[in-house]
Amino acid sequence: MKKGKILLSSTLTILGVLFILFGGVNVKADTVNSYILGNKIQPAEIQYREGTFDQWFGYENGVGKPEGVVVHETADSNATAENEVSYFNREWPSLQTYVHAFVDNNEIINIHSADYGVWGAGHTANYKFIQVELCEVHDYDAFARSLSNDAFYIAKRLIQYNLPDIPGQTVVSHHQVSNTYGETNHTDPDGYFAKWSYDMNQFNDLISYYYNNLKDSGTLYGNPDNNNGGNENKATSLSVKNDNAIFVPLVAFDQSNNKTDVKNRGLANNTPWQYDQQKDFDGHTYYRVSTNEWVMDSYVTSFS
């Protein structure tokens, strides 16, 4: 995405293609994908921050019912995810542009609830899709890590909203959106990918690999014994804060996955807690800090 107005109404040479088998899932991968999978690159934890975008509108099928994810690229060679978050939180009213998340090689920052639409790809797509921006990087390892972060975010969102992984339908580039609906003329991320001898077909392979493994085993690489005891991320500690109270509330889940409030206990603000499991429920991620006590992502301020 270029930093322009999108109205609601509107390297390495490829050395060959190979098939890699990890955890019973075949993945077609070029050298970038094989580098990611061969090194079992672990994506960053998704950070949830409340952005400044104040247009709360549901998708065409209703709140919490997106139809897929649009893949964007920022077209800014010098901006990190943190830079982009600051810029769009400040400038979106004049730009008339906003997305759900920004991703670079170090961070995944979600700044608007994916239950609601944003202004990133023209009127029709805005009412259909979650939208994520990939930031540009400048070396091969950073590019691989940014792809891992982006693919992880997309796979998690598809699973969260019970969507199938269908390239060109539930996972689309901004270029594909432009061609399909004719409301924008952007072609990202194709040009940026091409600089790295990469393309959307290869990125879809990586997304599918993560999606299938996360659904089948709950881990990115299909082997819980080698993935932090079943957790797909490195972080095992989080800090919490409730801006509206002196403590952070907790919830419990029964065997049918029904959620109830824990009424006799909470977490002190600005305190660190170990967690060993996480689950998605009703548009949020919850982290287990005790046997059956979970904290919602909205109260998490950092991971370590």
Side-chain angles (χ1 to χ4, degrees):
M1 175 191 293
K2 297 179 182 177
K3 289 186 175 70
K5 196 170 185 178
I6 299 179
L7 297 175
L8 276 172
S9 60
S10 47
T11 112
L12 293 178
T13 303
I14 294 179
L15 301 177
V17 176
L18 54 121
F19 288 90
I20 300 175
L21 182 65
F22 283 104
V25 179
N26 282 307
V27 176
K28 181 182 178 182
D30 74 347
T31 53
V32 182
N33 283 357
S34 60
Y35 178 84
I36 294 168
L37 301 185
N39 288 286
K40 293 188 176 180
I41 290 175
Q42 293 288 338
E45 188 78 33
I46 300 172
Q47 302 174 49
Y48 294 90
R49 306 180 190 174
E50 188 65 56
T52 62
F53 189 64
D54 61 5
Q55 305 298 302
W56 297 93
F57 59 93
Y59 300 98
E60 63 182 14
N61 292 326
V63 173
K65 295 182 179 180
E67 298 175 37
V69 182
V70 175
V71 181
H72 292 276
E73 180 268 312
T74 62
D76 189 332
S77 61
N78 297 309
T80 66
E82 292 282 0
N83 297 150
E84 296 286 1
V85 165
S86 296
Y87 179 81
F88 279 92
N89 275 336
R90 184 179 69 249
E91 301 294 340
W92 74 262
S94 59
L95 296 172
Q96 293 289 285
T97 304
Y98 206 80
V99 295
H100 292 97
F102 287 94
V103 172
D104 61 18
N105 56 308
N106 293 314
E107 293 184 290
I108 306 169
I109 308 175
N110 194 104
I111 55 175
H112 194 69
S113 171
D115 282 350
Y116 299 87
V118 289
W119 296 350
H123 180 85
T124 302
N126 292 342
Y127 280 83
K128 289 179 177 289
F129 298 111
I130 298 165
Q131 304 187 46
V132 56
E133 289 270 4
L134 179 67
C135 298
E136 293 191 359
V137 294
H138 303 286
D139 67 72
Y140 187 79
D141 181 74
F143 180 62
R145 293 181 185 279
S146 69
L147 291 178
S148 176
N149 285 340
D150 210 22
F152 173 68
Y153 178 84
I154 293 166
K156 289 281 284 187
R157 287 290 171 260
L158 293 176
I159 293 170
Q160 176 183 348
Y161 291 100
N162 197 30
L163 294 167
D165 172 35
I166 306 175
Q169 182 174 325
T170 60
V171 179
V172 292
S173 68
H174 195 173
H175 194 179
Q176 290 172 308
V177 167
S178 295
N179 289 341
T180 300
Y181 305 115
E183 296 171 350
T184 62
N185 60 4
H186 291 204
T187 60
D188 54 302
D190 293 2
Y192 175 62
F193 278 178
K195 293 178 181 179
W196 298 96
S197 297
Y198 201 72
D199 60 32
M200 272 300 297
N201 290 329
Q202 295 158 15
F203 189 48
N204 280 319
D205 289 336
L206 182 62
I207 294 167
S208 295
Y209 179 84
Y210 282 174
Y211 177 89
N212 290 330
N213 273 341
L214 286 170
K215 289 201 75 171
D216 291 344
S217 67
T219 65
L220 287 177
Y221 297 103
N223 185 351
D225 292 335
N226 294 326
N227 282 280
N228 300 320
N231 292 321
E232 63 267 33
N233 297 306
K234 291 180 178 179
T236 57
S237 179
L238 52 80
S239 294
V240 296
K241 183 180 179 182
N242 182 358
D243 291 330
N244 300 313
I246 61 173
F247 67 95
V248 175
L250 295 165
V251 301
F253 292 94
D254 64 21
Q255 292 182 344
S256 299
N257 205 39
N258 297 310
K259 179 174 72 74
T260 57
D261 295 331
V262 175
K263 298 186 180 299
N264 61 349
R265 204 169 119 77
L267 306 181
N269 281 329
N270 301 310
T271 56
W273 295 86
Q274 296 290 317
Y275 74 92
D276 63 349
Q277 292 183 28
Q278 63 187 71
K279 67 166 65 183
D280 292 329
F281 180 86
D282 198 25
H284 288 276
T285 299
Y286 289 80
Y287 301 90
R288 192 174 81 160
V289 295
S290 186
T291 302
N292 189 21
E293 294 179 338
W294 304 71
V295 62
M296 189 170 68
D297 52 33
S298 299
Y299 300 107
V300 177
T301 58
S302 65
F303 294 90
S304 61

